[in-house]
C-alpha cells in the first residue's frame, strides 16, 4: 500500500516524534523510507521599496556557504537517523533539498511517487501559528499524497 514513505525531519526532537510511527508503517507495509530534510535556499531577499511587492532574491557567497554547511550537517543528521532504521531491516534513503519546507516536501512526494508523507507537528495554535507558520499545515492543505501527522508525546510504549 505505502511502497514509499517520505518522513519529514527538521533536526528537532519534535520532528523526530514521527519516527516510531513511520517505522511501524514501513515495517507493516514493507515500504521504502525516504528521510527528507529541507534546508534554506542559498539566497537572501532584497526589498525593492514598493509596499506589498515581493523583494528580489539574490544569491551571495555567504548564503551559498551557509546552505552548503547546512546541507552537510543535514546529511550527517539523516545518516544517524537512518542507521537504527536500517538495523530493523528497512530500506532507507536520505534526501536533503534546499527550499521552502512545505513546498519542497509536497513537490518531492508528488514528483517521486511517494505514497505517504509522515510528519510531526509542534501543535502551535492561534497567534503563535500565524507568526511562526506551520510546515505540517502547509503540507496538509497542499499535498495530493496521503499524510500521517502526529503531535509527539501521544504514542504509547
Amino acid at each position: 500500500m505505502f511502497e514509499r514513505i517520505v518522513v519529514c525531519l527538521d533536526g528537532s526532537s519534535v520532528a523526530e516524534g514521527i519516527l516510531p510511527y513511520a517505522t511501524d508503517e514501513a515495517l507493516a507495509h514493507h515500504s521504502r523510507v525516504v528521510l527528507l530534510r529541507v534546508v534554506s535556499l542559498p539566497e537572501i531577499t532584497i526589498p525593492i521599496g514598493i509596499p506589498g511587492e515581493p523583494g528580489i532574491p539574490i544569491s551571495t557567497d555567504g548564503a551559498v556557504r551557509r546552505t552548503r554547511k547546512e546541507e552537510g550537517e543535514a546529511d550527517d543528521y539523516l545518516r544517524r537517523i537512518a542507521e537504527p532504521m536500517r538495523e530493523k531491516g528497512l530500506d532507507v534513503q536520505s534526501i536533503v533539498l534546499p527550499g521552502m519546507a512545505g513546498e519542497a516536501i509536497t513537490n518531492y512526494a508528488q514528483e517521486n511517487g511517494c505514497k505517504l508523507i509522515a510528519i510531526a507537528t509542534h501543535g502551535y495554535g492561534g497567534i503563535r501559528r500565524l507568526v511562526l507558520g506551520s510546515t505540517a499545515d502547509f503540507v496538509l492543505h497542499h499535498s495530493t499524497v496521503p499524510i500521517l501527522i502526529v503531535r509527539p508525546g501521544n504514542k504509547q510504549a
Side-chain angles (χ1 to χ4, degrees):
M1 181 177 213
F2 299 127
E3 298 87 17
R4 181 178 251 191
I5 300 172
V6 62
V7 179
C8 308
L9 298 167
D10 65 8
S12 71
S13 60
V14 171
E16 290 172 16
I18 193 64
L19 292 170
Y21 299 93
T23 299
D24 288 352
E25 289 300 315
L27 288 169
H29 297 284
H30 307 287
S31 307
R32 169 177 244 187
V33 175
V34 178
L35 300 177
L36 177 65
R37 178 139 182 215
V38 180
V39 298
S40 59
L41 290 168
E43 58 190 31
I44 59 173
T45 303
I46 304 297
I48 59 173
I50 301 172
E53 291 295 317
I56 299 171
I58 62 167
S59 188
T60 65
D61 289 341
V64 170
R65 281 193 301 273
R66 181 197 72 228
T67 297
R68 284 190 187 136
K69 181 180 181 213
E70 286 180 23
E71 287 172 340
E73 291 169 351
D75 269 338
D76 293 343
Y77 167 74
L78 293 178
R79 261 189 244 119
R80 287 192 308 273
I81 297 294
E83 192 54 37
M85 297 176 85
R86 287 189 180 111
E87 289 171 1
K88 292 180 180 183
L90 291 173
D91 179 7
V92 183
Q93 177 184 10
S94 299
I95 303 288
V96 177
L97 297 174
M100 300 298 291
E103 191 174 300
I105 291 164
T106 55
N107 289 343
Y108 179 86
Q110 185 173 353
E111 293 168 5
N112 290 279
C114 296
K115 302 300 181 188
L116 180 69
I117 297 172
I119 189 168
T121 181
H122 291 263
Y124 297 138
I127 297 296
R128 194 167 186 194
R129 181 184 200 142
L130 181 65
V131 172
L132 297 176
S134 172
T135 300
D137 187 60
F138 182 95
V139 171
L140 177 64
H141 288 94
H142 293 89
S143 177
T144 59
V145 175
I147 306 159
L148 171 64
I149 299 178
V150 299
R151 187 159 55 194
N154 297 333
K155 182 155 176 118
Q156 301 298 317

